[in-house]
Amino acid sequence: MLLQKSLLVIFSLLLLATIINGLLVCLQKNKDWRELTLRIRTWWVIVILFSLALISPCWLGLSFFALVSFIALKEYLTLVPARHADRMPILWMFITIPINYWLIGIDWYGLFIVFIPVYMFLFLPARMVIAGDTRHFLRTVSQLQWGLMTTVFAFSHVACLLVLPNDKQQTGALLVLFLVGLTEFNDITQYLWGKSLGKIKITPKVSPNKTLAGLLGGIGSTTIAAMLLGSILTPLNWSMAILAGLIISVSGFCGDIVMSAIKRDIGIKDSGTLLPGHGGILDRLDSLIFTAPVFFHFVRYFYY
């Protein structure tokens, strides 16, 4: 019941945002609210699909996250240059996705934790060498390894949370809700604090909108939210919830600026157009790619 009540709160907040947006469109017709409207519409789709994944049977939830990894990897591969000789290694990267999530589903943690970082790390370059094309080999293999590690391995730690407490799936779903909710909340509060009080820029050449006030405000807000929600949604006590809030806020900031650096290197603003008003799926997963593995290992080490 707690999971359903939590999701109901989220839908209520989203409904409130929709009503406010509708009022703004009606009352301030001289302003362009199209981007905000698109963002809210897309959030409806994201929240509905995410909620269905959390309340579905475990195998269906894992399938949903595997699909997200598939789309994210595909989007990433459209951004980086690839050689004709890399077709088979790329095929193996996609084959890795169902294997990776299958290992999560059968709770084979020992193999999951080394499958991509060790075995695929060694297999991919070996398979690429067989093609005999050494042009830009180091650059290409590095790009492929990074894509597999972020979009599949790092992100799949969200699914690991879903099955972490094997006897109580709802507890795992609440952990996922706690992580994803705080990660998104951290992004929003860092943006709001930065817009209102931000003057000192942290990474002006990477992400000019990132300010010290935004970072500190986001850390403080996320930590307080974690402390309030920790004892409700998770097995964390208040002190560990505070630590979890710090971990999520700092790692989320790191994920955001790292992905911004990658997009600047490639020369793009958004990773895609799949999510209207938001950009691509990587634009929504950038912080979560960093927060998911860090939070998962924090919870698993101390509680399971």
Side-chain angles (χ1 to χ4, degrees):
M1 286 299 294
L2 182 56
L3 175 61
Q4 286 79 0
K5 290 180 180 178
S6 301
L7 292 175
L8 182 60
V9 171
I10 294 174
F11 276 102
S12 300
L13 293 173
L14 194 53
L15 179 60
L16 178 61
T18 304
I19 294 172
I20 293 174
N21 177 66
L23 291 173
L24 290 173
V25 172
C26 293
L27 299 176
Q28 299 185 14
K29 296 181 180 180
N30 58 321
K31 292 188 177 181
D32 186 2
W33 299 103
R34 283 178 297 178
E35 184 176 354
L36 179 60
T37 303
L38 281 175
R39 280 178 172 266
I40 294 176
R41 287 176 182 174
T42 303
W43 269 120
W44 274 106
V45 177
I46 293 173
V47 170
I48 289 173
L49 293 177
F50 178 69
S51 300
L52 290 174
L54 292 188
I55 63 177
S56 298
C58 186
W59 68 269
L60 192 56
L62 291 177
S63 300
F64 169 78
F65 289 116
L67 178 61
V68 174
S69 279
F70 176 88
I71 297 173
L73 179 59
K74 184 175 182 294
E75 185 176 271
Y76 172 82
L77 291 173
T78 62
L79 302 177
V80 298
R83 307 170 307 172
H84 181 75
D86 298 327
R87 290 177 302 166
M88 286 307 297
I90 289 175
L91 175 62
W92 278 106
M93 290 172 68
F94 283 107
I95 293 174
T96 299
I97 296 174
I99 298 175
N100 181 75
Y101 282 89
W102 174 71
L103 292 174
I104 296 173
I106 64 174
D107 197 25
W108 200 345
Y109 174 78
L111 184 55
F112 159 77
I113 206 66
V114 298
F115 174 57
I116 291 178
V118 177
Y119 295 114
M120 289 305 297
F121 175 80
L122 299 174
F123 173 77
L124 273 182
R127 180 60 186 83
M128 291 171 66
V129 166
I130 294 176
D133 188 354
T134 59
R135 287 183 307 109
H136 310 299
F137 179 82
L138 182 59
R139 183 196 67 184
T140 304
V141 73
S142 299
Q143 290 174 340
L144 296 184
Q145 297 281 18
W146 172 259
L148 191 60
M149 281 293 294
T150 52
T151 62
V152 183
F153 181 68
F155 175 73
S156 66
H157 283 77
V158 179
C160 287
L161 284 172
L162 192 62
V163 301
L164 188 56
N166 295 320
D167 57 331
K168 297 179 181 179
Q169 184 190 349
Q170 192 173 75
T171 304
L174 289 171
L175 284 169
V176 173
L177 188 61
F178 180 80
L179 167 67
V180 176
L182 284 184
T183 300
E184 296 302 324
F185 180 75
N186 179 61
D187 287 346
I188 294 171
T189 53
Q190 284 194 13
Y191 172 80
L192 294 177
W193 282 108
K195 275 290 185 180
S196 57
L197 299 175
K199 293 183 179 179
I200 303 175
K201 299 183 182 298
I202 301 178
T203 54
K205 293 184 178 180
V206 178
S207 184
N209 294 326
K210 296 297 180 184
T211 64
L212 183 60
L215 173 60
L216 296 179
I219 291 175
S221 302
T222 304
T223 301
I224 293 173
M227 182 181 66
L228 296 175
L229 296 175
S231 60
I232 301 174
L233 300 179
T234 74
L236 306 175
N237 58 38
W238 69 270
S239 58
M240 296 300 284
I242 289 176
L243 183 56
L246 287 171
I247 289 173
I248 290 173
S249 56
V250 173
S251 58
F253 172 80
C254 293
D256 195 350
I257 59 173
V258 167
M259 295 307 291
S260 294
I262 291 174
K263 287 185 287 187
R264 281 192 173 273
D265 181 39
I266 298 173
I268 58 173
K269 180 180 182 294
D270 296 322
S271 62
T273 58
L274 180 64
L275 304 175
H278 295 264
I281 194 166
L282 289 176
D283 295 311
R284 282 268 50 90
L285 297 183
D286 51 6
S287 300
L288 195 58
I289 284 171
F290 274 58
T291 61
V294 176
F295 178 72
F296 167 79
H297 290 289
F298 167 75
V299 172
R300 186 179 187 275
Y301 180 81
F302 284 107
Y303 289 92
Y304 297 99

